[in-house]
Amino acid sequence: MSRKLIGWSVAAIAAIALTLTYLPSFVADSVYKNVDDLTDGEMPATVTAFQSGPDIVSTLGGSGEGLNCSLPAWANILFDGSSDSKGRRHLVLQRFRQACVFHDVCYRHGLATYGYNQNDCDRILQNAAFRLCLYIRNDDKGSRADRCQTDSKMVLAGVSFGGYNAFRDWGRSSYFEFDPDPSRSNGFLVSRVVDHPFKTVVPAKYGSEPDQVILAFENVRSNIAVTCITCTDKGAIGFTRNPGEVSAELRSLGVLWLPEVLLERDPKLSETAPVWLPPRRRHAAPHLLVDAQG
């Protein structure tokens, strides 16, 4: 009786081991399709890091929550944890943490900021995990692409089954910039806080306005428009037919002769205006640069 029990126990343990070893990868390979043939050698996108300094108080958006891989600790047993040629093991929670952090932020802010739906976030995770795996498995040239396809699909499966309800839909998703190159987004909106451009130039005219204003940039593929959402309806050009009649605001910017397009016009600071950029390109969110003069 004891021999039968031992035999059945060994068989059960072996069956469980085989199930944990082969079933997850088989299911993932069967359910999910391969990622694109990513042979450009690039690492996946990293969450945008904003500059810090004594003049920077905070970043618009974000919820101040921790970031980590949504996969539970026991998920390591479902992945290949064998050592590489140097004897190092690469556990899944550490191996794909960069992709997981990006995915966490995408679930929280992707919809509001870039219009990413849940499927977009999940597919970005799969692509990012695949790229990371190619770098980590760089000593296994023969089968690393196949292994990485399976590993990336298993990461996607784990998130799909274990963390699907964490995605924040309309009403819960908040604004935060995290993708430096949002190629999956048809359009997105970002904001920047800048010093008022004319308050120190014409204090009598703008003295009652705040020292800083908020600029909202609407990025629709290669077209960008900017709106000062805290500016008043004051005009900085003034209506004129004389190209030599340049306002103090424009003279402070080095404009000494009005171009024809600005004649007989008096646009307001609060109006939406286009930002000229080279055509037929996809542009990321605007970055404010500071020169030697501040």
Side-chain angles (χ1 to χ4, degrees):
M1 185 68 179
S2 59
R3 289 184 178 180
K4 283 188 176 181
L5 181 60
I6 293 174
W8 279 110
S9 299
V10 170
I13 293 173
I16 293 173
L18 289 173
T19 299
L20 293 177
T21 302
Y22 296 106
L23 184 60
S25 59
F26 173 78
V27 172
D29 279 330
S30 302
V31 173
Y32 297 105
K33 60 184 179 181
N34 288 345
V35 301
D36 297 333
D37 186 16
L38 303 175
T39 57
D40 52 20
E42 290 189 11
M43 288 287 283
T46 303
V47 173
T48 300
F50 293 91
Q51 292 182 340
S52 61
D55 296 331
I56 297 178
V57 179
S58 64
T59 302
L60 292 180
S63 52
E65 300 173 79
L67 295 168
N68 212 323
C69 201
S70 302
L71 296 173
W74 53 261
N76 283 312
I77 65 177
L78 303 178
F79 290 79
D80 178 15
S82 58
S83 302
D84 59 19
S85 59
K86 297 182 180 179
R88 296 173 300 192
R89 296 182 64 211
H90 305 284
L91 300 180
V92 64
L93 299 186
Q94 289 74 39
R95 193 190 317 171
F96 299 121
R97 188 174 188 279
Q98 178 181 344
C100 287
V101 166
F102 193 99
H103 186 261
D104 276 6
V105 177
C106 188
Y107 261 36
R108 299 173 191 175
H109 314 293
L111 184 61
T113 307
Y114 304 111
Y116 288 168
N117 57 36
Q118 188 167 9
N119 185 64
D120 290 330
C121 295
D122 290 346
R123 293 304 176 185
I124 292 173
L125 169 67
Q126 185 184 3
N127 288 358
F130 180 77
R131 288 183 181 275
L132 287 171
C133 182
L134 289 181
Y135 269 81
I136 294 170
R137 294 294 182 187
N138 58 10
D139 60 323
D140 184 14
K141 303 293 185 182
S143 61
R144 65 172 180 156
D146 291 339
R147 293 172 66 180
C148 288
Q149 287 283 5
T150 298
D151 278 2
S152 64
K153 284 187 280 189
M154 289 175 62
V155 171
L156 174 59
V159 170
S160 298
F161 288 106
Y164 68 91
N165 58 349
F167 181 79
R168 298 184 179 177
D169 52 12
W170 296 116
R172 296 194 304 152
S173 180
S174 53
Y175 290 99
F176 185 71
E177 293 175 46
F178 61 91
D179 191 347
D181 186 22
S183 58
R184 288 177 177 262
S185 177
N186 289 324
F188 58 96
L189 184 71
V190 298
S191 297
R192 296 287 185 265
V193 178
V194 300
D195 292 335
H196 194 295
F198 304 126
K199 185 172 182 178
T200 58
V201 177
V202 191
K205 183 177 180 180
Y206 301 101
S208 62
E209 298 190 6
D211 294 336
Q212 295 180 316
V213 296
I214 299 178
L215 301 180
F217 293 86
E218 184 179 6
N219 189 327
V220 182
R221 286 300 181 182
S222 62
N223 298 316
I224 296 182
V226 60
T227 305
C228 181
I229 60 177
T230 57
C231 290
T232 62
D233 288 336
K234 296 176 181 177
I237 296 177
F239 184 90
T240 181
R241 295 184 176 90
N242 180 9
E245 189 177 339
V246 182
S247 66
E249 293 94 323
L250 293 186
R251 285 199 302 271
S252 71
L253 301 175
V255 178
L256 303 179
W257 194 263
L258 284 179
E260 185 177 354
V261 70
L262 294 181
L263 294 178
E264 300 183 17
R265 293 191 63 230
D266 187 19
K268 309 302 181 184
L269 293 179
S270 58
E271 291 182 13
T272 299
V275 178
W276 185 88
L277 290 170
R280 295 183 299 277
R281 295 186 61 188
R282 184 182 67 248
H283 301 284
H287 292 263
L288 301 179
L289 304 179
V290 179
D291 58 17
Q293 285 73 39

